[in-house]
């Protein structure tokens, strides 16, 4: 992105949040990790900063409570909390999210069974977030299908594309640009209702990645254009 921006990652002390923090900070984005435990977020920020510094990256990562992290964000607030705490977190932060763009990466994995989803009544987590926050706060669903292990392994590029959905076209375009700073391709996959398909891909990938019949793990989704005729 042409101008350095500050992105909040709520649930930033978890595997997915830490991986995103590393990738975005490596790309020059300022990161503030948000957690219910501010001291844990601050300690995680120190550890991630030291990890990137050891690679020669002058990273700026800080930690705070969730409200402060949300307030600090210029635009993007990435929600990376367990599904069980999704709605409660958004209800608490709704007043603070005014003027921000929520990037919801949460997948409604079934309790005790990561190979299945239990979609909310709205149809998807992305749609549920939009219904909860109202139309004035744009919600963009993205990054549902990227392995946390892949994100945290900085020795390799991200091995998949990012499917981005939501009802606000301008917000989607900004999120696509943010995703592309991490060196991956991102595509506009449609309105928020597309999240019903995108979120449901995650347990399929989990099933494949843990299968003994599949000779790989941590795979993602890639959009493959047709080969050019010679």
């Amino acid at each position: 992105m042409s101008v350095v921006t500050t992105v909040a990652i709520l649930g930033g002390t978890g595997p997915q949040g830490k991986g995103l923090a590393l990738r975005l900070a490596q790309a020059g984005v300022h990161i503030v990790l948000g957690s219910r435990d501010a001291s844990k977020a601050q300690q995680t920020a120190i550890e991630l900063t030291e990890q990137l510094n050891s690679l020669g990256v002058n990273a700026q990562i800080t930690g705070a409570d969730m409200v402060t992290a949300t307030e600090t964000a210029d635009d993007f607030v990435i929600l990376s909390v367990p599904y069980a705490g999704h709605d409660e977190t958004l209800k608490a932060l709704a007043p603070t999210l005014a003027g921000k763009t929520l990037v919801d990466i949460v997948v409604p994995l079934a309790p005790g069974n990561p190979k299945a989803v239990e979609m909310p009544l709205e149809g998807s987590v992305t749609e549920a977030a939009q219904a909860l926050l109202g139309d004035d706060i744009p919600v963009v669903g993205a990054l549902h299908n990227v392995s946390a292990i892949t994100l945290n392994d900085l020795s390799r590029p991200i091995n998949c594309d990012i499917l981005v959905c939501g009802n606000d076209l301008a917000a989607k375009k900004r999120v696509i640009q943010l995703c592309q700073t991490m060196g991956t391709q991102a595509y506009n996959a449609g309105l928020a209702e597309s999240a019903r398909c995108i979120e449901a891909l995650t347990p399929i990938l989990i099933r494949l990645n843990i299968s003994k019949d599949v000779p790989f793990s941590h795979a993602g989704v890639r959009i493959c254009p047709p080969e050019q005729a010679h």
Side-chain angles (χ1 to χ4, degrees), residues 151-188:
L151 288 172
N152 281 278
D153 184 1
L154 298 183
S155 68
R156 300 181 180 182
I158 296 174
N159 64 336
C160 60
D161 297 329
I162 310 300
L163 300 177
V164 179
C165 63
N167 297 333
D168 187 310
L169 180 58
K172 279 190 292 187
K173 288 183 175 180
R174 294 196 303 274
V175 173
I176 287 171
Q177 186 181 10
L178 179 70
C179 291
Q180 289 174 341
T181 66
M182 297 187 289
T184 188
Q185 186 56 263
Y187 295 95
N188 178 359

Side-chain angles (χ1 to χ4, degrees), residues 27 46 49 100:
I46 291 171
T49 300
K100 315 287 185 181

Side-chain angles (χ1 to χ4, degrees), residues 27-48:
V29 178
H30 295 173
I31 301 296
V32 53
L33 305 178
S35 173
R36 288 187 174 86
D37 184 342
S39 61
K40 183 177 180 180
Q42 291 161 359
Q43 181 58 41
T44 300
I46 291 171
E47 294 169 359
L48 297 181

Side-chain angles (χ1 to χ4, degrees), residues 124-156:
S124 67
V125 173
T126 302
E127 291 170 282
Q130 189 68 82
L132 192 154
L133 294 175
D135 293 337
D136 290 339
I137 299 174
V139 175
V140 178
L143 296 156
H144 299 104
N145 310 137
V146 188
S147 162
I149 291 178
T150 294
L151 288 172
N152 281 278
D153 184 1
L154 298 183
S155 68
R156 300 181 180 182

